[in-house]
Amino acid sequence: MAVDNEMPAQATSAQAASGIRPAAASPLQHGNGVVAPVKPRAIVLFGSPGSGKGTQSRYLVEWLHIPQISTGDMLRDHIRRGDDIGIAITDRMRAGSLVRDELVNELVRERIAQPDCDNGFILDGYPRTPAQAEEMLRLVASRGAEEVVIHLVVDYNVIISRMTGRRVCPKCGTLYNSVSRPPKIEGICDLDGTPLVVRDDDREEVVRRRLAEYERQTQPLIDFFRATSKRLIEVDASHDKPEEVFRRIRATLENVSGK
Ligand SMILES: [Zn+2]
């Protein structure tokens, strides 16, 4: 498995922070030259809008050198190519229906059979329903891999203030944030003096609606994995910088048992 062995000393605080109880020994034994066999991992990342999921996903790809598999991208690819699958998807969407679970499951099954997934993979946008989640566990097991579900837990009030604090310069596109990156003069672009505006996506009612939609769709999946998976890692992503959140995810992943 493409895991390097830095930072093992961080494990203890990370375990405490993430609330997960690892098995007694790390699957990656340091120092004695023996590396126990580790199954490839299918990492599923859940995080609300504003939770930093995209950033954590990028960090994981860089660290583990495994592909990120986006079912949304795969579906859009088929639509663009206009092949049989693409036509089936377009028909469903025209009828106002969701893409069928079986179709998505099949796409994932084919994709993870590729050799670049031998050392593991990250699933993005899948599973989206409990039925897909059940099938995912079967697919992952039949691939000889094991699932690790990472849930970025956030305080919605923090997310709302973070997202609604965003301002953009309509002239040059520079982004500001009233908390983390305020302009020198409130409401004015540093570069060209243009009054800043709130993007539609960052208005509070839009943010609240997106969070409610995320919650509605994701909570049943989190409940499913809480009940069925030994490897659900819940990490607080509200308060720390993304690098610190990743440090905890990484330390925990280095210590989650393969059993
Ligand atoms: Zn500007």
Side-chain angles (χ1 to χ4, degrees), residues 169 171-174 176 189 191-192 194:
C169 172
K171 189 170 177 193
C172 70
T174 303
Y176 297 88
C189 180
L191 303 180
D192 49 34
T194 307

Side-chain angles (χ1 to χ4, degrees), residues 77-92:
D77 236 40
H78 282 289
I79 292 170
R80 208 187 51 238
R81 285 203 298 264
D83 57 16
D84 288 351
I85 293 173
I87 290 166
I89 299 164
T90 310
D91 286 349
R92 298 285 297 183

Side-chain angles (χ1 to χ4, degrees), residues 26 52 58 92 209:
S26 164
R58 271 200 308 283
R92 298 285 297 183
R209 203 184 313 136

Side-chain angles (χ1 to χ4, degrees), residues 59-96:
Y59 287 157
L60 284 166
V61 167
E62 281 169 26
W63 174 44
L64 295 168
H65 307 288
I66 57 178
Q68 176 175 354
I69 296 170
S70 160
T71 46
D73 286 350
M74 288 162 69
L75 293 169
R76 278 187 290 277
D77 236 40
H78 282 289
I79 292 170
R80 208 187 51 238
R81 285 203 298 264
D83 57 16
D84 288 351
I85 293 173
I87 290 166
I89 299 164
T90 310
D91 286 349
R92 298 285 297 183
M93 291 187 346
R94 279 214 188 98

Side-chain angles (χ1 to χ4, degrees), residues 94-153:
R94 279 214 188 98
S97 315
L98 293 172
V99 179
R100 290 201 331 275
D101 285 340
E102 303 86 72
L103 174 62
V104 182
N105 292 336
E106 181 58 19
L107 288 176
V108 172
R109 193 187 65 72
E110 284 176 11
R111 179 63 187 85
I112 68 175
Q114 302 298 314
D116 66 335
C117 294
D118 284 351
N119 292 324
F121 44 92
I122 299 173
L123 293 170
D124 175 24
Y126 176 88
R128 213 174 266 281
T129 64
Q132 288 181 9
E134 277 181 42
E135 183 60 17
M136 184 210 84
L137 292 179
R138 279 193 290 274
L139 290 175
V140 165
S142 71
R143 181 68 168 88
E146 62 186 17
E147 84 290 352
V148 178
V149 180
I150 301 172
H151 180 202
L152 302 174
V153 180

